[in-house]
Amino acid sequence: MTGPITPRLTPIPVDGTTPCGRVAPDAARPCAEPARWHIQWLPGHGSFACAAHMAEARRLFAYVDRHQVGPDCNMPGALWSAGRCAVPRGQARAA
């Protein structure tokens, strides 16, 4: 997802890591620094950002919500709820 209100991003990885997904306009690869923030651009669309790229997002782009990266952010089945990511009750044990 990219456009006038969102930066160039890479999808959130499904391997449990939380790297910054910002791809600068002149770069071929994402930043990949450890993420500090989880940004919700639109419902169902998010990315991770390091501190520097979160500051850039706050200045330049529109987003719905953000929170500091936590242990549930990259868990399968996690949902954005009340300003944070959470795995629904019972789902964590189903794996």
Side-chain angles (χ1 to χ4, degrees), residues 1-9 41-42 57 60-63:
M1 173 172 64
T2 187
I5 62 169
T6 58
R8 233 173 99 205
L9 303 166
W41 298 102
L42 297 168
L60 302 176
F61 302 109
Y63 56 89

Side-chain angles (χ1 to χ4, degrees), residues 1-2 20 37 42 44 61-62 66-67 71 73 77 79 81 88 94:
M1 173 172 64
T2 187
C20 179
W37 295 95
L42 297 168
F61 302 109
R66 70 180 181 141
H67 64 259
C73 289
L79 301 172
S81 174

Side-chain angles (χ1 to χ4, degrees), residues 60-78:
L60 302 176
F61 302 109
Y63 56 89
V64 174
D65 200 2
R66 70 180 181 141
H67 64 259
Q68 290 187 335
V69 170
D72 286 344
C73 289
N74 203 4
M75 292 292 292

Side-chain angles (χ1 to χ4, degrees), residues 46-66:
S47 66
F48 295 129
C50 65
H53 288 123
M54 183 69 242
E56 175 190 60
R58 291 185 74 197
R59 281 192 326 271
L60 302 176
F61 302 109
Y63 56 89
V64 174
D65 200 2
R66 70 180 181 141

Side-chain angles (χ1 to χ4, degrees), residues 86-94:
V87 176
R89 291 185 97 164
Q91 191 164 342
R93 287 182 245 150

Side-chain angles (χ1 to χ4, degrees), residues 18-33:
T18 56
C20 179
R22 173 69 165 114
V23 182
D26 58 345
R29 296 179 182 201
C31 168
E33 287 292 316

